[in-house]
Amino acid sequence: MVALRLIPCLDVANGRVVKGVNFVDLRDAGDPVELACRYSAAGADELVFLDIAASHEGRSTLVELVRRTAESVTIPFTVGGGIGSLEGITELLRAGADKISLNSSAVRNPELISDGAERFGSQCIVVAIDARRRKSDSSRWDVYVKGGRENTGLDVVNWSKKVADLGAGEILLTSMDGDGTQEGYDLDLTRMVSEKVPIPVIASGGAGCIEDIVDVLTMGSASAALLASLLHDGVLSIQQIKSELLLRSLDVRPLES
């Protein structure tokens, strides 16, 4: 059995880590390289580094910042934001990324998922899905792109099944409704997608306490929990979370002594 993972997320804009609520009202949360080193040393299983303004601004991810960050950590590292071609994927992998996260570009050009998986391996291709619950039907969610600014009209569950069929190795599933609220993950959303696809699902959006993390890894059937505000604001540490998860007999990688 593959161990459950805790993954700090570094949302970057203008060279700084930022965090907001429901994808708006961004505030500064620190230096990306410094935070990456801190979380790597603290026992995080992986890191996710997202240039959150790249797609909206129509530019590529900040490669030099990726290179500096990747050189500073000792754990697997996913990079996303504004990646629209195989050449862009190649550039970031050469800069030190272990995986690439596709979001808007995957919706615009689904073949990028299959082409990327074929050239680099499915394990390198993560598809990020930003989901918002429909007001007209609370049992369904829409896929948003361009940093949560544009509703594609795609159904999240159907899109999740398609990206898995195209060869994605993981899905990074963010509840836009829960993002930054620290009120808990969307368990219905996470469980529904996790049960419909044969690949790991990383749950994102809403972690506020250890109980939220336990719930999404058990009732939500997630393979990993993405963490941001909870760690950036010092509410909890990786060590505190892992220690509690181990006490509850959840299969996480122990901290090194």
Side-chain angles (χ1 to χ4, degrees):
M1 181 177 178
V2 178
L4 301 169
R5 291 165 290 156
L6 298 179
I7 306 177
C9 182
L10 307 178
D11 288 337
V12 175
N14 299 316
R16 298 285 294 179
V17 176
V18 296
K19 197 69 193 89
V21 178
N22 306 134
F23 283 41
V24 296
D25 297 330
L26 301 180
R27 56 184 170 77
D28 187 273
D31 176 75
V33 177
E34 179 183 326
L35 284 175
C37 292
R38 182 189 308 170
Y39 294 143
S40 178
D45 299 298
E46 299 184 18
L47 290 167
V48 168
F49 167 39
L50 300 177
D51 186 345
I52 61 172
S55 292
H56 173 63
E57 296 174 0
R59 57 171 174 76
S60 60
T61 302
L62 304 175
V63 176
E64 182 55 35
L65 181 57
V66 171
R67 183 177 292 109
R68 288 172 46 228
T69 304
E71 288 174 350
S72 302
V73 302
T74 58
I75 55 178
F77 190 71
T78 300
V79 180
I83 306 166
S85 66
L86 292 178
E87 291 73 23
I89 296 175
T90 300
E91 184 177 28
L92 290 166
L93 291 175
R94 286 177 175 169
D98 297 282
K99 307 177 190 180
I100 299 302
S101 176
L102 306 173
N103 190 332
S104 300
S105 60
V107 173
R108 184 171 61 250
N109 177 22
E111 288 186 357
L112 184 59
I113 302 171
S114 53
D115 291 346
E118 182 177 354
R119 178 175 297 188
F120 307 106
S122 290
Q123 79 286 346
C124 279
I125 307 300
V126 179
V127 172
I129 300 176
D130 295 333
R132 174 164 279 164
R133 194 182 291 265
R134 291 182 182 175
K135 293 182 179 179
S136 60
D137 183 353
S138 62
S139 66
R140 302 183 70 179
W141 294 261
D142 286 321
V143 175
Y144 279 70
V145 295
K146 296 184 178 179
R149 294 173 176 83
E150 181 179 307
N151 185 355
T152 67
L154 291 170
D155 177 78
V156 167
V157 174
N158 291 338
W159 176 237
S160 298
K161 291 191 287 187
K162 182 173 181 177
V163 303
D165 290 342
L166 287 168
E170 285 185 298
I171 289 173
L172 172 52
L173 180 63
T174 299
S175 165
M176 293 180 62
D177 303 296
D179 176 70
T181 65
Q182 297 189 29
E183 295 178 353
Y185 295 94
D186 188 329
L187 299 181
D188 293 335
L189 167 67
T190 308
R191 180 172 54 251
M192 188 171 293
V193 173
S194 297
E195 291 177 350
K196 295 292 184 180
V197 299
I199 58 177
V201 172
I202 304 167
S204 170
C209 62
I210 289 177
E211 207 63 43
D212 293 336
I213 301 167
V214 172
D215 287 347
V216 84
L217 295 175
T218 54
M219 292 186 287
S221 301
S223 298
L226 202 74
L227 307 168
S229 302
L230 192 66
L231 298 178
H232 300 337
D233 295 341
V235 177
L236 287 171
S237 68
I238 294 289
Q239 181 176 10
Q240 288 173 311
I241 298 168
K242 281 201 168 185
S243 296
E244 182 62 26
L245 296 183
L246 288 167
L247 283 175
R248 299 189 187 210
S249 300
L250 292 181
D251 187 15
V252 295
R253 182 173 62 89
L255 294 165
E256 296 180 1
S257 56

